Amino acid sequence: MDAPQGSYSGTTPTDFIATAFYAYSTRILRDAAKVIGKYDDIQEYTALLDKIIEQFNYEFVSPSGRLVSPNANCSCSSLDV
């Protein structure tokens, strides 16, 4: 684990985790809208997802493509963003 001994909080920034899961949940909503044929919702969630991914990359990925917090949780969480 990446948490210091005796700590319940790891080294992965909470805003990193929140943004990754925001993107993940938005992707689920977009995909659900596709399944049920809600075309306006598809466009809305696609646009939102694109903005989330853009901001995620701006905030958490360096210009050379490295994650700003190089631990296992960040690496795994960013795979779906």
Side-chain angles (χ1 to χ4, degrees):
M1 303 300 278
D2 65 352
Q5 189 164 357
S7 171
Y8 295 102
S9 178
T11 60
T12 304
T14 54
D15 52 343
F16 181 100
I17 294 169
T19 307
F21 277 96
Y22 186 30
Y24 178 72
S25 61
T26 302
R27 182 175 284 117
I28 290 171
L29 291 169
R30 183 209 53 201
D31 293 348
K34 287 180 182 179
V35 170
I36 61 176
K38 296 282 191 171
Y39 301 105
D40 290 340
D41 289 348
I42 295 168
Q43 292 177 335
E44 180 180 345
Y45 288 123
T46 297
L48 178 59
L49 180 60
D50 291 344
K51 289 178 186 176
I52 295 167
I53 292 171
E54 179 183 330
Q55 288 302 305
F56 180 92
N57 289 333
Y58 175 78
E59 188 69 30
F60 303 112
V61 181
S62 75
S64 65
R66 293 179 184 229
L67 292 173
V68 296
S69 183
N71 63 41
N73 191 28
C74 285
S75 297
C76 292
S77 297
S78 66
L79 290 176
D80 201 32
V81 174

